[in-house]
Amino acid sequence: MLIKIFIFIVTYLPILILMGIIPYLTRKTECFGYTIPMEAHKSNKLKMLKSSYRNKVFIFGGILFIVFIAAIVFITSEFIYSIIYIIGILLGLALGVVFYLEGRKKVAILKQSEEFSLSDKSQKIIIDTGFRNKKILVSPLWFLTYIFVIVATVIYMFVAFDKIPEKLPLQIDLDGNVTNYMSKENAMVFFPCMQIFLSIMFIFLYWMIGKSKQQLDPARAKISIEQNRIFRYVWSVYILVTGLLINSLFSIFQFYAINEKMNSKSLLVVNVVLLVLVLFSAIVLSIYTGQGGNRIRIKGVDSEEVRKIMKDTTIIRDSDDHWKLGVFYYNHDDPALFVEKRFGVGWTLNFANKIAISIFVGIIVLSIIISIVSVNLK
């Protein structure tokens, strides 16, 4: 029971925390999916709106958290726990969506006032043509470590093939009991294929970071360029390390499957520790960088220069019409495949681009196929 509660805590709370602080991480020229003047983000009205959203997310999310923890205490069935776990996470996300839409509606009203009007602003788009030549990503050669882990694991399994039991553990429940097995012949193929699939996913995310559309602030171009460069570099490192850890975890699971003397509960602990590390490091990085790197402090920029920037009336072009609900970017005239999110930290697709949609659908279909195969493969 304690393990079940702990797993729910370390997955639910990071999501709740991140949802609550998102308005403080987005760019200062964006609020609940709308473009606003730079100086408007200091408005008391917006401050109250953001704090209201944050408080509602934490209060109602906290109540929901307590309810589901209480339910877990009295539930003994593994299946029912899984249902409660999924429902708890989905309801937490649903609350965030409801409060986001409420805040967005209020910002739409504020944009009609003079204080939030963009009519007196000069709207521009700037591009650094040499941006891709800068060190915006960690070296792709580091992904060779993925190959090393996969190859080393495959070699080990071939060498130890005669010593491997005919059936290997495939799934382990929260009590450390094996609930599903797979023949060693199938395992020799399935596990490396899973590692290759995950490696491709993380390499794709790395590529997306490098290819995503530039979003630079015309009023603070030089600072914005450096912030965005650091932002991409830091998150590319995060993607690389996370992928390596997950690949290594699959190798550890295979070693456990071969060595029956290994403690299954120890393997469960390793899984939970990795989950905590990945989730909380994402929160720390989000707070450090903010969306697009807007929270990163650049050395050599004094307070006087910042004050001048704040008075600049030049802003990035208002593209609210292309953002459906402030979340989905849809622009046929924009060739970009990937763009920065307007609410949150990270990137999203241009849903009007057929190539981007094909990639998105392809990943989902492939994930479903792998899930079906993993369930039915014996």
Side-chain angles (χ1 to χ4, degrees):
M1 183 183 68
L2 291 176
I3 294 176
K4 292 177 181 177
I5 292 174
F6 182 69
I7 291 178
F8 185 76
I9 290 174
V10 299
T11 50
Y12 183 89
L13 286 186
I15 294 174
L16 184 66
I17 292 170
L18 198 53
M19 280 198 307
I21 64 175
I22 279 179
Y24 302 95
L25 303 179
T26 51
R27 290 176 176 273
K28 294 180 175 63
T29 53
E30 295 169 357
C31 187
F32 290 96
Y34 281 112
T35 302
I36 61 171
M38 170 68 82
E39 63 275 11
H41 84 279
K42 289 188 174 182
S43 163
N44 289 329
K45 294 177 182 178
L46 273 193
K47 288 181 179 179
M48 290 177 63
L49 190 57
K50 290 179 180 181
S51 62
S52 174
Y53 166 86
R54 178 199 62 208
N55 294 341
K56 287 177 181 178
V57 167
F58 287 157
I59 292 173
F60 287 94
I63 293 172
L64 193 63
F65 171 75
I66 294 172
V67 169
F68 280 98
I69 288 293
I72 291 171
V73 170
F74 296 102
I75 294 298
T76 56
S77 169
E78 191 79 25
F79 175 75
I80 296 178
Y81 166 77
S82 300
I83 298 298
I84 291 176
Y85 176 84
I86 294 172
I87 292 175
I89 299 296
L90 291 178
L91 280 180
L93 292 171
L95 277 176
V97 171
V98 170
F99 297 138
Y100 162 76
L101 292 176
E102 181 186 18
R104 178 172 168 78
K105 185 177 180 180
K106 293 178 180 178
V107 174
I109 296 173
L110 288 175
K111 278 202 71 171
Q112 298 175 10
S113 66
E114 184 177 347
E115 181 182 1
F116 290 82
S117 174
L118 300 176
S119 59
D120 62 335
K121 307 296 181 183
S122 175
Q123 299 182 26
K124 296 180 180 179
I125 289 181
I126 62 167
I127 296 175
D128 178 6
T129 55
F131 186 74
R132 310 292 175 183
N133 297 325
K134 295 180 172 66
K135 194 174 182 180
I136 62 174
L137 300 172
V138 67
S139 172
L141 293 177
W142 282 105
F143 283 101
L144 292 176
T145 56
Y146 289 21
I147 299 175
F148 173 80
V149 170
I150 296 171
V151 171
T153 306
V154 170
I155 291 175
Y156 176 82
M157 292 188 73
F158 269 109
V159 171
F161 187 80
D162 292 336
K163 299 179 181 179
I164 300 175
E166 289 303 316
K167 288 187 176 182
L168 299 180
L170 179 61
Q171 293 177 338
I172 299 174
D173 64 20
L174 297 178
D175 294 321
N177 302 315
V178 178
T179 58
N180 195 9
Y181 287 89
M182 177 184 293
S183 68
K184 66 177 181 180
E185 289 79 9
N186 287 337
M188 290 286 289
V189 177
F190 176 74
F191 284 118
C193 285
M194 280 298 298
Q195 288 179 299
I196 292 172
F197 170 71
L198 290 171
S199 297
I200 292 173
M201 290 300 97
F202 281 100
I203 292 173
F204 167 73
L205 292 174
Y206 170 90
W207 176 74
M208 180 181 71
I209 293 174
K211 293 296 181 180
S212 63
K213 181 181 178 180
Q214 290 183 49
Q215 184 172 335
L216 306 177
D217 189 343
R220 45 202 294 275
K222 291 183 179 180
I223 299 174
S224 183
I225 289 170
E226 184 61 12
Q227 285 178 324
N228 199 259
R229 185 194 69 78
I230 296 174
F231 172 67
R232 295 182 191 231
Y233 187 86
V234 168
W235 281 103
S236 71
V237 173
Y238 173 82
I239 292 297
L240 170 71
V241 174
T242 300
L244 181 59
L245 288 174
I246 293 177
N247 260 316
S248 300
L249 182 62
F250 265 85
S251 295
I252 292 173
F253 190 86
Q254 292 172 74
F255 296 149
Y256 158 77
I258 293 172
N259 187 353
E260 293 178 316
K261 295 180 180 180
M262 289 183 67
N263 190 332
S264 58
K265 289 189 176 181
S266 299
L267 182 63
L268 181 61
V269 170
V270 172
N271 275 272
V272 172
V273 169
L274 176 61
L275 178 64
V276 172
L277 183 63
V278 169
L279 290 176
F280 280 92
S281 58
I283 292 177
V284 171
L285 280 182
S286 296
I287 294 173
Y288 166 66
T289 64
Q291 178 61 315
N294 77 90
R295 291 176 59 88
I296 299 173
R297 294 185 178 182
I298 305 300
K299 293 181 179 180
V301 180
D302 57 29
S303 57
E304 182 63 30
E305 185 174 350
V306 172
R307 282 194 292 271
K308 289 180 181 178
I309 290 171
M310 292 298 293
K311 294 179 180 179
D312 197 315
T313 58
T314 304
I315 63 169
I316 193 168
R317 190 172 66 186
D318 184 355
S319 58
D320 288 353
D321 291 343
H322 298 300
W323 284 91
K324 312 305 178 184
L325 299 177
V327 177
F328 304 103
Y329 184 66
Y330 194 88
N331 187 355
H332 283 290
D333 298 324
D334 190 344
L337 296 177
F338 315 109
V339 295
E340 288 185 13
K341 293 179 181 178
R342 280 212 163 186
F343 192 74
V345 176
W347 295 266
T348 187
L349 301 173
N350 178 3
F351 287 91
N353 190 298
K354 293 181 179 179
I355 297 176
I357 292 299
S358 298
I359 293 173
F360 179 69
V361 172
I363 291 174
I364 292 178
V365 170
L366 191 55
S367 299
I368 293 174
I369 292 174
I370 290 177
S371 298
I372 294 173
V373 170
S374 65
V375 171
N376 293 282
L377 198 60
K378 301 294 183 183

